[in-house]
Amino acid sequence: MSDKQKTMGQGRELFRQGEKGGDLFFISEGEVELKVRNEECKDDIVVATMGARSVIGTMSFLENEPRSATAITKTEIKYIQIDQTQRDKLMKAIPSW
């Protein structure tokens, strides 16, 4: 796990819709747009804008499912990224109900 805060510039992609599994992102500053591809018109539709103190990528991170949206930085962001190796350690520490 990297608990070190990182910075990413505007217009950059954190992850893409359809990618398998992935990291979890804690956004501390800035905004990220979540876009979903409309297959009928082949356009990306903004479904949410996430700001400071948001967590994105949870479904893919926890369930190891393909990404349901594409995340693009709307502004410069500061974030902490938790990777799959750390996820596996966390999941082993949680009791199975």
Side-chain angles (χ1 to χ4, degrees), residues 8-91:
M8 182 179 286
Q10 177 183 4
R12 303 275 311 277
E13 185 178 283
L14 284 170
F15 53 80
R16 177 163 290 286
Q17 181 177 348
E19 289 178 342
K20 182 80 168 134
D23 298 346
L24 184 69
F25 298 88
F26 293 91
I27 309 302
S28 58
E29 292 180 33
E31 292 184 326
V32 176
E33 286 185 333
L34 298 178
K35 299 180 178 187
V36 174
R37 183 74 147 166
N38 180 330
E39 290 303 323
E40 288 181 21
C41 63
K42 303 294 184 203
D43 279 337
D44 292 330
I45 299 167
V46 176
V47 294
T49 300
M50 309 300 283
R53 300 194 334 227
S54 294
V55 179
I56 60 174
T58 52
M59 289 172 43
S60 182
F61 180 77
L62 294 174
E63 302 294 330
N64 205 24
E65 294 290 323
R67 298 283 191 188
S68 58
T70 297
I72 306 284
T73 57
K74 186 174 180 180
T75 65
E76 178 179 277
I77 64 168
K78 294 192 184 300
Y79 65 100
I80 295 174
Q81 184 173 357
I82 310 296
D83 64 25
Q84 288 293 305
T85 302
Q86 186 62 24
R87 180 192 80 90
D88 294 341
K89 290 178 186 175
L90 290 169
M91 295 308 279

